[in-house]
Amino acid sequence: MKIQEIIDCVLTDSTGETRIAPTCDQLMTGDPQQEVKGIAVTFMATVEVIREAAAKGVNFIITHEPTWFTGRDVPDWCAEDSTYLAKRRLIDETGMTIWRYHDHMHAAAGDRIYWGVADKLGWNQYLVPGQKAPWLYEIPQTTLVDLAADLKRKLDMTTLQTIGDPEMPVNKVLILVGGGSLGLGVEEMPMQAMEQTHADVMLCGDVTEWTTCAYIRDAMQLGQNKAMIKLGHERSEEAGMEYMVTWLPDLIDHCCPVIFIDAKEPFVYL
């Protein structure tokens, strides 16, 4: 199959004949008519991901997040930037084609990022039905500190940021991946969701310290059973891209290998 054929298959499978416009789901580099030798799916097409994909004989990367450092993913602002130029040279040298799959992935039924997160955590059976988004899970009762330890193990993390009593009981978990925990343009949304769902703890990607962080800290100081665990954007969404290797090969009739490359936690903690 050609790259454009695969893109069309994924988009149609995600949202039918509906296309989101405007969208960042665009070809970032490469030739859409190129024949696909192999596909790498990843959270972000970092320099190391590109190098690893090339080393494994892949010529097509499907990335969830930007290649060119901004949400719009348009490199007009950095056309003469040294980092941009060096990364562009690497892409050209490897013959890599990169396509971003973001808006349509989140818009698909159930949000396909959450498919992978729930699978990675082993929580599919705990999803509370009837939610507007797949974000509330009723898990077997545990404590905040034990939940954090479980998340560290399953998501391959060494450090987590939390707000709340480590020994507080946890049963209802609200998940807002990536930028969802910023409210998606409505900064009060995560706090409203916390109240409406009666969640004990929120697992979040990005945070603003004067909104949800402050809300949950005040709730804790008032003696309420509320807490937050910050996973970060990358760790909260990477599992959704990893999960693509379970459904993409069937969608494209196994025309080429599909591999997952972990973009990895971006921070080193000192």
Side-chain angles (χ1 to χ4, degrees), residues 93-129:
E93 289 167 1
T94 57
M96 199 66 64
T97 296
I98 300 173
W99 176 62
R100 188 171 177 193
Y101 178 42
H102 181 275
D103 296 349
H104 293 81
M105 189 173 198
H106 283 301
D111 189 327
R112 288 181 172 177
I113 286 292
Y114 280 87
W115 290 9
V117 173
D119 184 74
K120 188 84 169 180
L121 297 180
W123 287 5
N124 284 305
Q125 69 271 35
Y126 303 134
L127 175 64
V128 176

Side-chain angles (χ1 to χ4, degrees), residues 250-264:
D250 287 342
L251 182 65
I252 60 174
D253 296 325
H254 298 267
C255 71
C256 66
V258 179
I259 64 171
F260 165 69
I261 299 180
D262 192 341
K264 298 184 174 59

Side-chain angles (χ1 to χ4, degrees), residues 6-157:
I6 290 176
I7 291 172
D8 292 340
C9 279
V10 173
L11 290 176
T12 299
D13 191 63
S14 300
T15 58
E17 296 305 313
T18 302
R19 295 291 182 269
I20 298 170
T23 180
C24 60
D25 293 355
Q26 303 289 336
L27 210 62
M28 297 297 113
T29 183
D31 178 6
Q33 297 307 313
Q34 184 180 20
E35 185 174 338
V36 180
K37 299 176 182 177
I39 301 171
V41 295
T42 187
F43 170 79
M44 184 177 291
T46 67
V47 166
E48 287 303 316
V49 166
I50 295 166
R51 287 172 176 161
E52 184 174 344
K56 292 182 175 179
V58 165
N59 66 340
F60 184 32
I61 294 175
I62 299 178
T63 179
H64 186 62
E65 295 296 3
T67 302
W68 306 126
F69 321 116
T70 67
R72 289 176 58 244
D73 227 350
V74 176
D76 50 359
W77 66 274
C78 61
E80 302 302 322
D81 182 87
S82 59
T83 300
Y84 165 78
L85 291 172
K87 187 174 185 179
R88 173 67 78 172
R89 281 195 299 273
L90 172 66
I91 292 169
D92 291 343
E93 289 167 1
T94 57
M96 199 66 64
T97 296
I98 300 173
W99 176 62
R100 188 171 177 193
Y101 178 42
H102 181 275
D103 296 349
H104 293 81
M105 189 173 198
H106 283 301
D111 189 327
R112 288 181 172 177
I113 286 292
Y114 280 87
W115 290 9
V117 173
D119 184 74
K120 188 84 169 180
L121 297 180
W123 287 5
N124 284 305
Q125 69 271 35
Y126 303 134
L127 175 64
V128 176
Q131 300 293 309
K132 289 188 295 183
W135 58 22
L136 185 65
Y137 297 80
E138 288 190 1
I139 65 173
Q141 185 159 313
T142 184
T143 62
L144 181 63
V145 67
D146 287 341
L147 174 60
D150 190 51
L151 292 169
K152 286 168 64 178
R153 178 176 59 84
K154 290 176 177 176
L155 300 178
D156 192 23
M157 300 180 70

